[in-house]
Amino acid sequence: MMVGIGRTTGVTDDAGTTQKLQYKSPFDVRGDTLRMTEFGFSSGLPAGSDVLILSLGGDRSNQVIVATNHGSTRYGNLKPGETVIYDAKGKSVLLGEDKLTVKCAGQDIEVTEAKNATITASVKIRLETPLVESTGDIVDNCDSNKVTLKELREAYNEHGHDVKNVQGGDSTRTSEKTNKEEDAHDLLSGDDIGSSVLISLFSDRRADADDVTDDGDRRGWWGDTGEDILLGSRLWLLARSVLSRAIARKAEMYAEEALAWLVSDGVLSSVIATSRIVWPDKLYLTILLIRPDGNKQEYKFEWLWGDNNAVSATYAQ
């Protein structure tokens, strides 16, 4: 068997069951040379690619290309164990040491002909884009909820309020503003306030501009963009703090901030948060809710500090 090196001319026949190339060497120019590749992988070589040629039985009329390289576009500086798929235009899929990176080099990316597409992420999915579009409906909490955002929006748009003291003739009356106390009836009359408290305290509110975070992620709910009242609390900011009286005071402030909307909506007349530290590793937070009729209700929470200052919370009404 004879081994040789050549360079492709750019002439390729890729229409059949095998790919055939033309290459030139110091000896001659040969076309229709079979190129062998691994199953499931194929590529179109740029002109000027180096090729390794085997002449079977030493017969130069019976050749096969078994390896290729294009030096000017080769993806370099890989770490041991890493793998990459790349092209001559700068696009790549890197199976890196600590993450998978897809680089589109300014071009579009498209996934087609999928029946179902599932992305599983243990922490979150973040979209850094000025616009998210969907041609179909969106359902949140889909395992327990079947109502789409479109249906919720339509139900809201169709609801109305009685106009009092309507007069005939040419009189014009504007629909009254929503009565917050009436709209909050479910919260005032039932146990839904407990769910509201838990959601408000343990949903991650977007951090303020001057808040310090571990990784620069301000969290928060995308639906709060442009809103004056934000969902959730900033208690998550305490997760890497060393337990202290200052941290306890912040916990009180963050809790009252998270529940302030219940006061502004008329569900409660006031919210009072008080904290107590049991050294070396426990913070107790008591939330006192005072209703407009004077009735009071308490919610108690316990935070446990671990060795790395991360906290876990326990709820006991």
Side-chain angles (χ1 to χ4, degrees):
M1 182 178 294
M2 185 168 60
V3 179
I5 294 178
R7 181 162 291 176
T8 60
T9 64
V11 178
T12 304
D13 180 2
D14 199 28
T17 58
T18 59
Q19 186 181 88
K20 296 179 180 180
L21 305 177
Q22 183 185 79
Y23 75 90
K24 60 182 179 180
S25 71
F27 307 104
D28 56 7
V29 176
R30 284 186 175 271
D32 293 333
T33 304
L34 174 66
R35 179 192 176 196
M36 298 293 290
T37 60
E38 293 291 334
F39 169 77
F41 179 81
S42 184
S43 63
L45 294 179
S49 296
D50 298 321
V51 292
L52 182 67
I53 309 149
L54 298 183
S55 298
L56 304 181
D59 182 1
R60 297 186 69 249
S61 65
N62 188 16
Q63 294 182 324
V64 60
I65 295 172
V66 295
T68 64
N69 179 62
H70 189 252
S72 63
T73 60
R74 192 184 78 84
Y75 195 110
N77 299 315
L78 291 176
K79 299 177 182 178
E82 292 186 333
T83 300
V84 66
I85 301 173
Y86 66 96
D87 71 356
K89 302 295 185 180
K91 298 187 294 297
S92 62
V93 178
L94 172 64
L95 281 65
E97 185 177 50
D98 55 0
K99 64 180 177 180
L100 186 150
T101 303
V102 179
K103 182 179 179 181
C104 296
Q107 298 184 10
D108 293 341
I109 184 170
E110 185 174 323
V111 179
T112 63
E113 299 185 19
K115 182 178 180 181
N116 293 289
T118 301
I119 300 176
T120 302
S122 61
V123 179
K124 64 181 178 181
I125 295 176
R126 176 172 177 162
L127 304 176
E128 295 186 5
T129 177
L131 179 65
V132 177
E133 294 182 337
S134 171
T135 59
D137 289 334
I138 297 176
V139 179
D140 63 350
N141 296 306
C142 59
D143 291 334
S144 58
N145 171 51
K146 302 302 180 184
V147 181
T148 68
L149 295 183
K150 178 177 181 292
E151 290 171 331
L152 290 174
R153 183 172 63 251
E154 289 177 346
Y156 176 82
N157 290 339
E158 291 173 1
H159 91 291
H161 302 278
D162 292 338
V163 180
K164 299 177 181 178
N165 301 319
V166 176
Q167 299 178 9
D170 297 329
S171 299
T172 300
R173 289 291 181 268
T174 302
S175 176
E176 293 183 344
K177 294 182 179 180
T178 300
N179 185 315
K180 291 183 178 179
E181 291 188 0
E182 291 179 359
D183 283 356
H185 173 73
D186 289 341
L187 290 176
L188 287 167
S189 60
D191 292 333
D192 288 343
I193 193 170
S195 298
S196 298
V197 168
L198 294 176
I199 291 172
S200 297
L201 290 178
F202 295 105
S203 296
D204 293 347
R205 182 191 186 102
R206 187 168 69 243
D208 290 347
D210 57 351
D211 286 328
V212 178
T213 62
D214 286 342
D215 55 4
D217 182 6
R218 296 175 61 201
R219 301 193 187 182
W221 181 47
W222 61 268
D224 279 342
T225 303
E227 297 293 330
D228 295 329
I229 300 177
L230 306 183
L231 174 69
S233 79
R234 291 188 287 160
L235 287 168
W236 63 272
L237 290 169
L238 307 181
R240 291 292 177 182
S241 302
V242 177
L243 183 59
S244 66
R245 298 192 186 281
I247 291 301
R249 287 192 292 272
K250 278 191 175 183
E252 295 174 355
M253 180 183 71
Y254 291 163
E256 292 180 354
E257 175 187 60
L259 300 174
W261 70 272
L262 291 169
V263 177
S264 62
D265 278 7
V267 178
L268 301 174
S269 60
S270 63
V271 175
I272 302 172
T274 55
S275 62
R276 179 170 62 92
I277 296 177
V278 177
W279 300 105
D281 59 0
K282 289 185 177 66
L283 172 66
Y284 292 93
L285 186 65
T286 300
I287 310 294
L288 176 63
L289 309 180
I290 303 177
R291 297 176 181 262
D293 60 6
N295 287 331
K296 299 178 181 180
Q297 190 171 2
E298 277 191 351
Y299 291 84
K300 297 181 179 180
F301 302 91
E302 174 188 327
W303 275 266
L304 178 64
W305 256 251
D307 293 337
N308 61 350
N309 297 331
V311 296
S312 59
T314 302
Y315 161 63
Q317 184 174 347

